[in-house]
Amino acid sequence: MDFRKLVKESLSMLDKSDKGIIFQDIDNQVVHVADAAFYGKQVFPKNLVQLLNDNFNMSGFPIDDPQFRKDILELLGKYEVAAKQKTRKKSLVLDPDFGKIV
């Protein structure tokens, strides 16, 4: 599964969750609590946290590891700082003798 798609689907599930519980219909589609009640759909409760842990662990991204989450947040923060501090020069001018073995 594409990692970007996994993140978007996880965010969608978080939006549709109710106190860490999601409801899936017979086709394993996540259904919002209000929609399930309004349409009278038969739904099955699932633990969202466990489902997210399983999905991310299968993708090699241990979201349940606190140290890994800290490292990811630090990486994203440093990336944002580095992206803001990009050099304004369009091309890098090197000395013609750069890299030559003398």
Side-chain angles (χ1 to χ4, degrees):
M1 177 182 273
D2 182 26
F3 193 70
R4 185 178 302 224
K5 183 178 178 184
L6 176 64
V7 170
K8 286 186 179 193
E9 286 181 6
S10 298
L11 289 172
S12 173
M13 283 194 282
L14 284 166
D15 288 340
K16 294 178 181 178
S17 71
D18 182 36
K19 298 179 183 173
I21 303 291
I22 58 169
F23 296 94
Q24 292 182 325
D25 63 7
I26 238 162
D27 300 323
N28 284 334
Q29 297 296 318
V30 177
V31 180
H32 193 275
V33 179
D35 292 336
F38 183 76
Y39 294 113
K41 289 186 177 182
Q42 182 180 9
V43 292
F44 305 98
K46 301 277 184 175
N47 183 349
L48 177 61
V49 173
Q50 186 61 42
L51 184 67
L52 290 177
N53 284 339
D54 293 343
N55 288 344
F56 278 95
N57 281 332
M58 284 191 313
S59 296
F61 193 88
I63 199 169
D64 54 341
D65 181 12
Q67 184 60 43
F68 185 74
R69 289 193 311 261
K70 284 182 190 176
D71 293 343
I72 290 296
L73 289 174
E74 182 180 353
L75 171 70
L76 293 174
K78 288 183 178 182
Y79 174 80
E80 291 294 325
V81 169
K84 287 180 184 176
Q85 295 177 353
K86 285 196 293 188
T87 58
R88 303 268 189 247
K89 296 179 184 177
K90 292 194 179 207
S91 65
L92 183 62
V93 178
L94 294 177
D95 184 22
D97 295 330
F98 180 76
K100 290 185 180 177
I101 298 175
V102 181

